[in-house]
Amino acid sequence: VAIIEAKNGCVGIARSLFTLIRDRELNVEWVELHSVLLDFSALLDQLMGVWININTEFCSKDVQIEIDRGQIEQALMNLCLNARDAMPDGGTLTIATDYREEDGDSDQVIISVSDTGKGIDKTIQRHVFEPFFTTKDEGVGTGLGLPMVYGIASSHDGSVDFRSEPGAGTTFSLRLPVCMPSTGESPAEETRE
């Protein structure tokens, strides 16, 4: 049994590392972002526990975006599970979107995951995206969750940043470019070569 558990652990770490080093081909599709986030939020209800309230605050714009849905959901899941761990006594988890129009560049959509937890200590903040860095007990965390989020954002030509104050919660923001099709086809009809 121990050998099987160790094998499964190694497989999970290897998959995380492959994502981290962008060794996976993206399986992109055009999606309506808020619909994806609503489906994701419904799944979170079962994972967060009754002591955590889940809010969604979406911008008014209908955001069509080309993403690897599975990878973006994986990144959001890592952020949400970290937020849950930061609120052991309960709190509020908020998933929000904002749309930024950029002059001369692709517009951006920002997906934010905020918690009302304990925040991240200033001495730890500079290490959060380092592979294998973790503040969790030995055997609980691999230290690959946030580096994987960083890798997924990068593979979508995006970025991730955060702000946090000890005792005042944390917000991670996933910034993704919104590139509309140039062929005149609707996003649902266009295929990527």
Side-chain angles (χ1 to χ4, degrees):
V1 174
I3 293 174
I4 293 172
E5 289 176 354
K7 174 192 156 266
N8 291 339
C10 289
V11 168
I13 290 173
R15 283 186 182 141
S16 298
L17 284 172
F18 286 146
T19 300
L20 183 62
I21 62 175
R22 298 169 67 178
D23 197 28
R24 283 175 47 188
E25 186 175 327
L26 291 179
N27 182 22
V28 297
E29 58 182 318
W30 285 100
V31 298
E32 200 290 306
L33 181 63
H34 294 150
S35 176
V36 169
L37 294 178
L38 284 173
D39 290 346
F40 178 77
S41 298
L43 173 65
L44 282 182
D45 276 336
Q46 302 168 18
L47 297 175
M48 292 294 107
V50 295
W51 60 92
I52 294 179
N53 297 316
I54 301 171
N55 289 338
T56 54
E57 299 175 0
F58 298 157
C59 65
S60 59
K61 189 169 183 70
D62 179 21
V63 182
Q64 302 284 332
I65 188 169
E66 191 177 26
I67 58 172
D68 182 319
R69 179 175 179 160
Q71 284 201 18
I72 294 300
E73 288 176 340
Q74 184 175 12
L76 293 173
M77 184 61 73
N78 285 337
L79 295 177
C80 290
L81 292 177
N82 281 351
R84 181 194 64 185
D85 293 345
M87 300 183 286
D89 299 320
T92 300
L93 171 72
T94 302
I95 300 175
T97 61
D98 190 18
Y99 194 92
R100 302 277 173 86
E101 294 185 2
E102 304 288 342
D103 291 333
D105 293 319
S106 295
D107 291 353
Q108 277 192 339
V109 65
I110 303 167
I111 310 169
S112 299
V113 176
S114 302
D115 66 64
T116 57
K118 57 190 176 184
I120 303 172
D121 188 272
K122 296 287 186 188
T123 60
I124 293 173
Q125 290 187 13
R126 61 193 170 116
H127 299 290
V128 297
F129 295 116
E130 292 177 9
F132 302 109
F133 177 82
T134 182
T135 59
K136 296 177 181 176
D137 293 337
E138 187 174 343
V140 176
T142 62
L144 290 174
L146 290 175
M148 190 175 3
V149 172
Y150 182 91
I152 289 171
S154 297
S155 71
H156 284 78
D157 297 322
S159 63
V160 61
D161 57 26
F162 71 96
R163 67 180 187 280
S164 183
E165 289 294 331
T170 302
T171 297
F172 277 87
S173 298
L174 191 61
R175 299 169 182 271
L176 301 172
V178 179
C179 304
M180 293 307 293
S182 58
T183 62
E185 299 174 320
S186 69
E189 294 170 342
E190 189 188 35
T191 56
R192 190 177 200 181
E193 297 179 7

